[in-house]
């Protein structure tokens, strides 16, 4: 697994920007981790080791940063990747799930044949961070609507104070590499 020194290494590779996008928020900018080939490779190797023997059928990533980690991990594990996107971005027939945000509503979509109509496909959901959990819960519900099993949701960062991982854990197992 990953030790405290390794966690510090990864966290130090993520830029923290105070008061963005508004005062009182500390934005975690993962572009600096992506721009650090050693840190990004270390992270992806860790995730590969964690999930290589889990008999996963698909990896699903949430738009847009979940695409980066999900597609990279899919390539490492030789698994298909399924994008979960904002409305109007996927070209074929989709299912939608709406969810509440602190400032309103939002919606995400998945292709109806995302898991090739496989019953009980074992799916790993991945995104860069979990905050309040609304988007991730909606993604799990979409996976379930397609009769697949989201066995775990994986995040680089868990913003603990917002308690999204606690809410999401009511629907699936949650793994976060880092907590802030």
């Amino acid at each position: 697994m990953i030790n405290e020194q390794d966690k510090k290494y990864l966290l130090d590779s993520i830029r923290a920007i105070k008061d963005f996008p508004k005062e009182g928020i500390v934005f975690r900018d993962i572009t600096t981790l992506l721009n650090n080939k050693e840190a990004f490779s270390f992270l992806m190797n860790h995730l590969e080791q964690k999930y290589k023997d889990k008999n996963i059928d698909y990896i699903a990533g949430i738009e847009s940063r979940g695409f980066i980690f999900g597609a990279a991990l899919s390539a490492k594990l030789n698994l298909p990747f399924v994008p979960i996107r904002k409305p109007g971005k996927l070209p074929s027939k989709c299912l939608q799930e709406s969810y509440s945000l602190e400032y309103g509503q939002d919606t995400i979509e998945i292709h109806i044949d995302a898991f090739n109509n496989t019953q009980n496909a074992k799916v790993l959901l991945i995104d860069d961070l979990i905050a309040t959990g609304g988007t991730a819960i909606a993604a799990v519900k979409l996976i379930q609507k397609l009769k697949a099993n989201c066995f775990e949701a994986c995040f680089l960062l868990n913003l603990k104070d917002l308690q999204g991982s606690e809410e999401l854990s009511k629907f699936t197992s949650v793994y976060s590499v880092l907590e802030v």
Side-chain angles (χ1 to χ4, degrees):
M1 275 287 101
I2 192 165
N3 63 38
E4 291 305 312
Q5 182 179 346
D6 293 338
K7 288 180 183 182
K8 182 177 180 344
Y9 168 66
L10 287 174
L11 193 57
D12 287 348
S13 73
I14 299 169
R15 178 173 34 204
I17 301 172
K18 292 183 180 177
D19 298 323
F20 182 84
K22 62 183 186 178
E23 194 167 329
I25 304 284
V26 177
F27 184 82
R28 303 297 173 165
D29 178 12
I30 63 157
T31 63
T32 52
L33 176 126
L34 298 173
N35 200 310
N36 179 333
K37 64 184 180 186
E38 290 84 12
F40 185 63
S41 181
F42 178 83
L43 171 65
M44 297 317 300
N45 288 338
H46 165 67
L47 294 176
E48 177 186 26
Q49 291 304 306
K50 177 170 178 47
Y51 292 111
K52 69 179 182 178
D53 296 322
K54 300 293 186 190
N55 298 312
I56 300 168
D57 297 309
Y58 294 88
I59 295 177
I62 300 172
E63 184 172 341
S64 65
R65 293 175 299 260
F67 292 2
I68 298 166
F69 299 110
L73 186 57
S74 289
K76 282 186 145 314
L77 296 175
N78 195 30
L79 293 170
F81 177 75
V82 174
I84 298 176
R85 301 208 63 188
K86 294 178 182 176
K89 302 290 185 180
L90 292 171
S92 192
K93 190 171 180 185
C94 295
L95 286 178
Q96 290 188 337
E97 185 71 29
S98 294
Y99 57 98
S100 296
L101 299 167
E102 57 274 9
Y103 52 84
Q105 287 271 116
D106 210 348
T107 302
I108 54 175
E109 294 183 332
I110 192 170
H111 277 141
I112 61 168
D113 60 354
F115 306 118
N116 298 311
N117 302 313
T118 304
Q119 298 277 323
N120 298 314
K122 189 174 183 180
V123 179
L124 172 66
L125 179 65
I126 192 165
D127 204 359
D128 65 328
L129 66 84
I130 183 162
T132 61
T135 308
I137 291 169
V140 170
K141 288 179 178 179
L142 282 175
I143 291 166
Q144 292 171 341
K145 282 181 179 180
L146 292 177
K147 309 241 185 296
N149 171 31
C150 182
F151 88 99
E152 189 160 88
C154 172
F155 304 93
L156 171 58
L157 287 166
N158 174 16
L159 305 180
K160 290 188 306 189
D161 291 346
L162 298 177
Q163 300 178 344
S165 62
E166 292 171 17
E167 287 302 311
L168 180 59
S169 68
K170 297 173 185 174
F171 298 88
T172 190
S173 177
V174 179
Y175 173 69
S176 300
V177 178
L178 304 170
E179 294 190 333
V180 291

